[in-house]
Amino acid sequence: MNILAIETSCDETAAAVVADGRDVRSSVLSSQMKTHDVTGGVVPEVAARMQLEMVIPVVAEALTTAKAEWADIDAVTVTRGPGLIGPLLVGVETAKALAYARGLPLIPTNHLAGHLYACLIEEPDFAWPYLGLVVSGGHTELVLMHGHHQFELLGSTRDDAAGEAFDKVGRLLGLSYPGGPHVSKLAESGNAAAIGFPRPMLDQNNFDFSFSGLKTAVRQEVGLGGAGPTGRAAAHSLSDQPMADQQRADVAASFQQAVVDTLVAKTVRAAERFSPSAVLLGGGVAANLLLRQALKESLEYCKKRLLVTPPEYATDNAAMIGAAAFWGREQSVNDEGLFGVSADPGWQLSGSVM
Ligand code: KG4
Ligand code: ZN
């Protein structure tokens, strides 16, 4: 079954053709990163307009790259949420129009489910339950996956998402958008033990996260307000010379270590409590090498497998949506039923009925 997938939930316009949930025949992406770098973050209105410009060319290229005609396509899928309403609307309305015009079924797909199915694309079999950690620019969620599209939310962030914290710290360090890859690159030359940033909520017996305090601690450390995390005066003040390269690298490395320690500790705790067959690590922050490595090593200790998203499907893409849709295809809608499908910016993963 060939599914044409469309993903426009944030700042990437993506389309893919995926056969039977596993065989990615094409995966095309048009990124808005350069545009949003100018403003230091995504401006939703601008993102939506750019999605509108790119969605049809990207879909056309996905078909061409897959060497597929419309006659080869059996269903269309689209990210219905969560995400930014303007960008989501572009994808959803385009997918509805294409499905209606071609007489194809439409499968509405959850973006976070896509991030988790990206970890399973290369797995030959399923073995429930899985424990899933989704870490992206908008979400940090720990879920149990009991079956196809059956999610139970264990915990989530109370404020900033992990990727959002990376992006904000990137901005504080004067790095380009999105901050995650740049912060982790800078961290390579830093000392992760240089600054004792807080490990938020680790002492609490739940699976929730909080990253805004950590971001504030970084802000203080770089001299943009108050005392540093240790209570001592900020290591750097704005009136000083520009922060030394080594100092910036130490901040990046110490921040990254604090995020990774927190994510790993809570995930390992959940793995011990719920005994999943494997742990899935998905979302843009899953591209972080330290996180991948630290989680793998900690899970080896408690004899759990880690299935990480292949790097090309870690950040937003449509292949993961095509894979997730195949396993949720019984939720497809046809004909007039298409008109009832609407974008849902707050679509929760738990109890995710498609
Ligand atoms: O999943 P994604 O592409 O978009 C959302 O659904 O939000 O995730 C994007 C997030 C951004 O916050 C970006 O900074 C972060 O993933 N990210 C990283 C890395 N690569 C991307 N964070 C840390 N380390 C990385 N190597
Ligand atoms: Zn995402």
Side-chain angles (χ1 to χ4, degrees):
M1 180 185 196
N2 286 322
I3 298 182
L4 171 72
I6 300 175
E7 150 64 44
T8 65
S9 65
C10 188
D11 57 348
E12 318 277 2
T13 314
V17 176
V18 182
D20 301 331
R22 302 212 190 270
D23 176 15
V24 180
R25 297 182 53 191
S26 67
S27 180
V28 175
L29 196 83
S30 164
S31 174
Q32 306 178 1
M33 248 178 228
K34 285 205 180 106
T35 306
H36 300 307
D37 189 20
V38 176
T39 41
V42 177
V43 178
E45 174 67 28
V46 175
R49 254 184 284 152
M50 293 186 75
Q51 297 282 11
L52 205 48
E53 278 169 31
M54 291 314 298
V55 68
I56 294 296
V58 166
V59 166
E61 197 181 325
L63 288 169
T64 312
T65 309
K67 299 191 172 51
E69 306 283 333
W70 273 105
D72 302 321
I73 301 297
D74 303 297
V76 177
T77 184
V78 66
T79 301
R80 187 167 86 76
L84 299 171
I85 184 64
L88 279 172
L89 276 171
V90 174
V92 169
E93 297 307 315
T94 304
K96 281 159 70 176
L98 291 172
Y100 190 73
R102 299 283 168 181
L104 293 169
L106 178 71
I107 309 164
T109 296
N110 184 294
H111 180 79
L112 303 177
H115 276 307
L116 289 172
Y117 274 97
C119 308
L120 295 164
I121 276 188
E122 291 171 0
E123 273 294 288
D125 288 308
F126 297 98
W128 318 108
Y130 292 109
L131 173 68
L133 174 65
V134 187
V135 269
S136 69
H139 293 84
T140 306
E141 303 207 343
L142 256 179
V143 295
L144 269 181
M145 196 172 175
H146 295 288
H148 285 304
H149 292 278
Q150 287 178 0
F151 301 101
E152 179 189 347
L153 184 67
L154 301 178
S156 59
T157 182
R158 302 224 173 140
D159 38 59
D160 292 351
E164 188 180 358
F166 267 97
D167 295 341
K168 287 176 176 171
V169 165
R171 215 176 316 161
L172 288 171
L173 293 172
L175 303 170
S176 295
Y177 175 84
H182 301 288
V183 170
S184 64
K185 179 92 192 97
L186 181 60
E188 284 170 16
S189 50
N191 173 5
I195 305 149
F197 286 129
R199 271 66 174 156
M201 297 187 73
L202 264 197
D203 52 342
Q204 293 184 21
N205 190 23
N206 58 33
F207 299 108
D208 286 338
F209 304 92
S210 163
F211 292 108
S212 82
L214 176 56
K215 171 200 65 192
T216 305
V218 173
R219 178 188 294 276
Q220 288 166 340
E221 188 65 28
V222 301
L224 293 171
T230 51
R232 63 194 163 86
H236 184 79
S237 113
L238 274 189
S239 55
D240 290 350
Q241 298 297 314
M243 217 174 170
D245 286 349
Q246 188 56 51
Q247 227 175 337
R248 288 168 73 243
D250 287 350
V251 170
S254 301
F255 159 77
Q256 176 176 249
Q257 191 67 54
V259 174
V260 167
D261 285 353
T262 311
L263 292 171
V264 169
K266 292 243 164 164
T267 307
V268 168
R269 213 180 280 172
E272 282 171 340
R273 170 96 59 96
F274 298 101
S275 298
S277 70
V279 176
L280 314 180
L281 174 62
V285 184
N288 187 281
L289 287 180
L290 181 70
L291 176 60
R292 297 161 84 99
Q293 205 180 327
L295 190 54
K296 185 164 180 282
E297 280 168 15
S298 299
L299 288 171
E300 270 166 11
Y301 248 11
C302 50
K303 303 207 170 7
K304 291 279 169 238
R305 276 178 82 206
L306 176 66
L307 300 176
V308 190
T309 309
E312 66 270 34
Y313 306 133
T315 48
D316 289 350
N317 64 88
M320 67 182 194
I321 303 300
F326 178 74
W327 304 107
R329 58 195 183 280
E330 74 281 5
Q331 301 294 334
S332 67
V333 289
N334 291 281
D335 308 319
E336 274 70 39
L338 287 169
F339 303 131
V341 176
S342 54
D344 181 355
W347 193 9
Q348 298 287 320
L349 191 54
S350 58
S352 168
V353 183
M354 299 178 87

